Each structure stands twice: as structure tokens, then as C-alpha cells.
Amino acid sequence: MIKDLIAAGGPGLLIPVVLFALLFYAVRGLFGLHGRRSQHRREFLEHWDPKRVDDDLWLEVTIRHLYGTPLPAHVIRTALSHPHASQALLDLSELWAFLDYNPETRNVSWQHKWHRSRTARGALRHWPVIRYFLFALSSMAAAYYATRIEGLSQWVFAALALILGAVAFLSLWHSDAEKVAARVGEAWIERINATSTIGPPPDKAL
């Protein structure tokens, strides 16, 4: 059937067909990822044992299985002491990539200097969405241009459209981390460092 369509529409029709097929499989992959997360939540609830919270290894592995983030045991316990423990663990799992953890002092700080400014954090929370539209529009422009030309250039622009589209969706997929950083990032740094038995780390040079 596809061969008949290409024969009727010419080689230029192959590009939209390929783009549609790849988009279809990408959407299926996203739904599959959501299904795996639901399965992880069910498995977590089946294996969660409050009596083993004092076991560092068990606690770290169990939380990592649910959220996919290697949080230290004492940080997890800090989250569990929060009135809304589930939301606290979710926020920390999103935020953790932006934090620099010192295992010796058990303190955390911002990994990048731009997150140390409250104003910058407030602006950065909107950047993933802006970046998504920039990449998405560029992807559509490249895909449209790929249908108007022929030869090797057609495939180059088609590949560019796919790459830009994938980057756009990944940008939107990870947008929650910047929102969490702006909303509760500084509060969690203070909370974690306050529970450490060792004093807070010295300020880093900006």
C-alpha cells in the first residue's frame, strides 16, 4: 500500500510517511513509559514496609525504583517527615539533578550559579516551554521544507525535523524540574542542610 502511495505521489510523499510513522512510535513509547511508571507505583506499594525505613540500602533502592532518582537515605527520611511525604519525594526527585550533594558533610547546594538567584529561578521556570515552541516550530519548518525539495537535501531536512521534534518534546517533558526549583528549591536546600549533623558547606564563589 505504501509503495502504491509513493508511486502515485512521487518520492516526496515518502518523507511525510516516514515522519508520521516515527511520530506514531514516539507516542506509543510515551504511553508505554507512563504505563511502566504506573507499574512501578503498584510495585512500590506492594513492597513498602515502614518497619524497614531505618535500613539505608533498602530505603534508597526502593525510592529509586519508584522515582528513578538516587536520593540519599537521610534526604529520603527528611522528605518522609514532611506533612505531604509523597509530594515531597516527587519534588526532590525532580530537583535533585540541579543540586550538588556532598556525601562527607551530607549538605546540598545549587549545582549551577544561575539557580542561586531567586530572580533567575523565576525566569528559568518559563524557559522549557519557550524552548519547546522554538524547537517545535523549527521542526515543522524543516519538515515542510523537506517536502518541497528532492535528493539528499530532502533527507537531511527530514532528519533535522525529527531531531528538533524530539528535542522539543524532551524539553517539555523535563519542564517540571525548573518549576520545582523556582517554587521550593531553596526551601529544600535549607531543610536538608538543617537536618545534617555537620554544619552547612561554605558559600561557593559565584
Side-chain angles (χ1 to χ4, degrees):
M1 181 178 178
I2 293 179
K3 291 182 179 180
D4 294 336
L5 289 173
I6 294 174
L13 187 63
L14 181 60
I15 297 297
V17 171
V18 172
L19 292 176
F20 176 80
L22 291 175
L23 178 62
F24 173 76
Y25 282 107
V27 172
R28 282 189 60 183
L30 289 176
F31 277 106
L33 180 61
H34 179 73
R36 286 193 295 273
R37 286 185 172 180
S38 298
Q39 181 180 354
H40 287 169
R41 284 194 292 268
R42 289 194 298 270
E43 293 174 352
F44 170 80
L45 292 174
E46 291 173 359
H47 294 92
W48 178 254
D49 183 2
K51 297 179 181 179
R52 301 188 63 182
V53 171
D54 292 333
D55 184 338
D56 288 0
L57 178 59
W58 178 86
L59 186 62
E60 291 177 359
V61 171
T62 302
I63 295 301
R64 184 170 185 174
H65 177 73
L66 177 61
Y67 294 102
T69 307
L71 296 174
H74 76 96
V75 172
I76 297 172
R77 292 191 185 97
T78 302
L80 292 177
S81 67
H82 192 275
H84 304 287
S86 178
Q87 185 62 49
L89 286 169
L90 181 61
D91 287 345
L92 279 172
S93 67
E94 293 284 354
L95 181 66
W96 197 249
F98 295 151
L99 300 181
D100 184 21
Y101 174 68
N102 188 327
E104 295 182 359
T105 63
R106 302 205 311 174
N107 282 282
V108 294
S109 59
W110 289 113
Q111 188 176 100
H112 304 293
K113 62 182 181 180
W114 52 81
H115 281 124
R116 299 171 197 167
S117 167
R118 182 177 181 179
T119 303
R121 290 196 304 271
L124 284 171
R125 69 183 303 172
H126 303 292
W127 171 237
V129 176
I130 296 173
R131 187 173 56 193
Y132 163 76
F133 281 108
L134 290 175
F135 281 117
L137 290 174
S138 300
S139 176
M140 288 188 288
Y144 175 78
Y145 190 67
T147 64
R148 315 300 295 180
I149 58 178
E150 298 179 356
L152 179 61
S153 297
Q154 184 181 49
W155 289 100
V156 170
F157 276 94
L160 180 62
L162 289 174
I163 294 172
L164 291 174
V167 173
F169 279 106
L170 286 174
S171 177
L172 194 63
W173 186 267
H174 294 289
S175 62
D176 287 343
E178 292 289 1
K179 294 178 182 178
V180 172
R183 180 168 50 87
V184 295
E186 195 66 32
W188 271 115
I189 289 178
E190 294 177 1
R191 189 182 183 100
I192 293 171
N193 291 344
T195 61
S196 176
T197 57
I198 306 175
D203 294 336
K204 293 185 177 180
L206 298 178

